[in-house]
Amino acid sequence: MEAIKLQTSLLQVNDLPKTRDCFLFESLTDHQIKELEKYCIAKSYSKGEYIYKEGSKADYIFFVISGSVKVYTSTFEGKEVIKNIVHAENVLGEQAYAGTNVRLDSARALDQIVQISCIHIDDLRGLLQRFWELNEKFIHLISKKLSRTETRVKSLIVDDARKRVIDFLKYNAKHKGKKIGFELLVKHFMTQQDIANYTGTSRQTVTSILNDLKKTNKIYFKRNSILIRDIANLA
């Protein structure tokens, strides 16, 4: 079993306070939640810790309860290619549900604390057959994630570097931004190299774009946060 050193997937979990608020589980009854908890494993990860590694066995699916996760592969030269940034209330490692037996990428925690709820693929299949509400929302999450991937691939083909970086800022502001008046504060733990790896640009290009946006007072940034002055006019 990957990452989580336990002997069985049938672990009773008595304290999943945030699971109930997750989009995937919010429509379940108390009885269904109790049934779900019989199969779920609650786990917290520190920044930089692996949720799973490329090449490991794909036998669990993960639900991000809080925090963000970086999903990436590495080239032969050792360069990271970031495939996705998965925020809270989303699914992670869903390829296992499609029959992939080995992980095709790696996933690492981006925030200081990332809370995960995971379930063995066989147990999930059984629950999806029994609980239609869970089945429907699981399909919705997978479809939404696929749509996001298609949009990003299109952006890599047709958009210039500036638009890709700005779209990255807007996407993360939507999912992690804290509203302060008309401004949005986005606390993050991604380096400028991470942003470059995600947007298909160079670190120097990202630095240049961020400095230009700062100079024109559209954003203000420090090491681990970005303040977006007016997201509607960010371009």
Side-chain angles (χ1 to χ4, degrees):
M1 178 184 173
E2 62 199 340
I4 304 171
K5 305 297 190 295
L6 296 170
Q7 298 301 314
T8 175
S9 64
L10 295 175
L11 180 68
Q12 179 69 45
V13 178
N14 295 316
D15 185 20
L16 290 177
K18 295 189 178 182
T19 301
R20 196 66 165 91
D21 298 327
C22 183
F23 167 82
L24 188 64
F25 309 124
E26 63 185 5
S27 63
L28 297 182
T29 65
D30 290 342
H31 171 74
Q32 289 170 333
I33 286 289
K34 287 183 180 180
E35 186 68 15
L36 176 70
E37 289 176 352
K38 294 178 182 179
Y39 301 95
C40 283
I41 299 169
K43 177 76 174 179
S44 291
Y45 295 86
S46 302
K47 180 184 176 183
E49 190 176 358
Y50 282 98
I51 287 87
Y52 59 79
K53 292 184 179 181
E54 186 173 356
S56 62
K57 188 176 180 181
D59 52 359
Y60 276 73
I61 286 183
F62 305 83
F63 306 108
V64 183
I65 305 301
S66 67
S68 299
V69 175
K70 173 174 68 174
V71 181
Y72 67 96
T73 58
S74 299
T75 66
F76 289 112
E77 295 80 18
K79 179 182 177 181
E80 278 189 11
V81 178
I82 299 180
K83 298 171 65 176
N84 208 346
I85 303 297
V86 181
H87 296 298
E89 298 195 10
N90 217 322
V91 64
L92 179 67
E94 69 277 5
Q95 296 90 344
Y97 187 75
T100 302
N101 296 320
V102 175
R103 299 291 181 193
L104 303 178
D105 43 41
S106 298
R108 298 177 74 178
L110 275 177
D111 289 311
Q112 296 291 1
I113 297 177
V114 175
Q115 292 182 308
I116 297 285
S117 183
C118 67
I119 187 170
H120 193 278
I121 184 61
D122 293 336
D123 296 329
L124 177 63
R125 287 196 177 102
L127 290 170
L128 292 178
Q129 290 175 1
R130 293 166 56 195
F131 303 148
W132 172 249
E133 298 87 350
L134 183 64
N135 192 329
E136 191 174 46
K137 294 214 167 188
F138 181 74
I139 293 172
H140 175 83
L141 279 183
I142 299 298
S143 299
K144 188 176 179 180
K145 195 171 180 183
L146 179 59
S147 177
R148 168 67 185 164
T149 299
E150 290 175 346
T151 299
R152 181 163 170 251
V153 169
K154 180 181 177 182
S155 176
L156 289 170
I157 296 171
V158 302
D159 294 335
D160 60 22
R162 181 184 176 88
K163 187 174 187 307
R164 294 201 299 272
V165 171
I166 289 174
D167 284 347
F168 168 84
L169 296 178
K170 289 181 176 179
Y171 177 73
N172 282 276
K174 176 182 177 182
H175 291 275
K176 293 179 70 72
K178 180 181 180 181
K179 199 166 185 179
I180 305 175
F182 292 105
E183 301 175 329
L184 275 172
L185 178 64
V186 185
K187 292 186 177 181
H188 67 93
F189 297 93
M190 293 186 71
T191 65
Q192 291 188 11
Q193 185 62 59
D194 283 334
I195 298 173
N197 293 344
Y198 182 81
T199 57
T201 59
S202 67
R203 184 186 60 78
Q204 292 83 357
T205 298
V206 171
T207 301
S208 176
I209 292 169
L210 293 179
N211 284 334
D212 182 63
L213 291 171
K214 182 178 180 181
K215 189 184 300 182
T216 55
N217 200 34
K218 293 184 176 180
I219 68 169
Y220 176 78
F221 64 90
K222 295 190 294 185
R223 181 179 177 86
N224 291 325
S225 65
I226 297 176
L227 181 69
I228 299 175
R229 302 295 188 188
D230 184 357
I231 195 167
N233 293 319
L234 183 60

